[in-house]
Amino acid sequence: MDLSALSYQKFVHFALEETQRRTTLAPLPSQEKFRSIKAKDDKTMLHGLSFSAPKIRLLRSLTIEGSEAVKVLDFAAFSKPEFDLPIFCANFFLNASLSIVVLDLNPLYDVTIRSDYKDKYYIKLMSLGQKYAETWLELMDQAVEETDALKILRNREAQHKYLTWRAEKDPGHPILKRLIGEKLAKDLLRNFLFEGVDTLGTRTFLDYFPEYRCKDGSINQRRSIIGKSYETRPWDAKGEFIGSEPG
């Protein structure tokens, strides 16, 4: 993919059109505040769009364009807690020396622990390969509204845990801070990109991730202090781990 020739706005418009084929999108109030922001270099522009739908709590995009130094697209969709859907993310990053494309579906729950959740989604995701956006929309179409209050609460907390992690550790924070300053960058993270971090739950980052607590009670600023990496995905078609531990 030639990212230098890619118009992020075209990607966003295509994604919104595909979504509108299946549901009705309504603009969210946050869209007006973050629709257009000029960076401190007077060249780079940040454009935000945010919507909700009957089954979608937040569908939003942020594009950063106008400067050859860096181009970014951050697109994500979060279902309402009444619908048990994975979180869809599409991230594109381009600068003079690096280009990154990440398309992903993040389960609300740990599939290594929740076999029912793995059986519900994993086989379908594996069979559809890289068609992440189409997969998410198909899952949305099929999603049935949950009526069990406890399950809705668990969905809400699972999504809040994800939002809490991203609002604190998102790798785009340094870029936003450089472009628009720390105050507006934090506002953008908490009230637009990861809106819901202050409303879906009350637990803090250290409540969810106590391993990041420093001796003085502050949060370890390293982005990740746990986890493993693999050259290829070490899971079979049923989501079972089949790889060896990395050295």
Side-chain angles (χ1 to χ4, degrees), residues 3 8 69-73 91-95 98-101 175:
L3 292 182
Y8 293 162
V70 61
K71 295 181 180 180
V72 175
L73 167 63
N91 299 99
F92 299 77
F93 175 87
L94 173 69
N95 65 15
L98 182 67
S99 62
I100 300 174
V101 178
I175 295 175

Side-chain angles (χ1 to χ4, degrees), residues 53-108:
K55 295 183 180 181
I56 302 174
R57 184 185 67 81
L58 172 65
L59 186 150
R60 53 76 174 159
S61 71
L62 177 72
T63 59
I64 302 176
E65 295 183 285
S67 169
E68 294 302 318
V70 61
K71 295 181 180 180
V72 175
L73 167 63
D74 189 331
F75 189 96
F78 304 85
S79 66
K80 292 182 178 178
E82 291 81 4
F83 298 93
D84 182 3
L85 288 169
I87 298 165
F88 171 71
C89 299
N91 299 99
F92 299 77
F93 175 87
L94 173 69
N95 65 15
S97 60
L98 182 67
S99 62
I100 300 174
V101 178
V102 178
L103 299 173
D104 206 1
L105 287 164
N106 297 278
L108 289 180

Side-chain angles (χ1 to χ4, degrees), residues 140-171:
M140 181 194 70
D141 286 343
Q142 298 172 358
V144 178
E145 184 171 3
E146 182 60 67
T147 58
D148 186 312
L150 182 57
K151 291 183 178 179
I152 294 174
L153 180 63
R154 288 173 179 169
N155 289 346
R156 186 187 306 273
E157 184 176 81
Q159 193 173 130
H160 184 252
K161 182 178 181 179
Y162 174 89
L163 294 169
T164 301
W165 168 267
R166 292 297 303 272
E168 180 66 37
K169 295 293 184 178
D170 188 74

Side-chain angles (χ1 to χ4, degrees), residues 111-112 118-119 122-123 126 234-242:
V111 295
T112 64
K118 178 173 59 180
D119 294 340
Y122 200 92
I123 294 177
M126 290 292 288
W235 298 277
D236 62 17
K238 295 182 179 179
E240 299 293 341
F241 181 77
I242 56 175

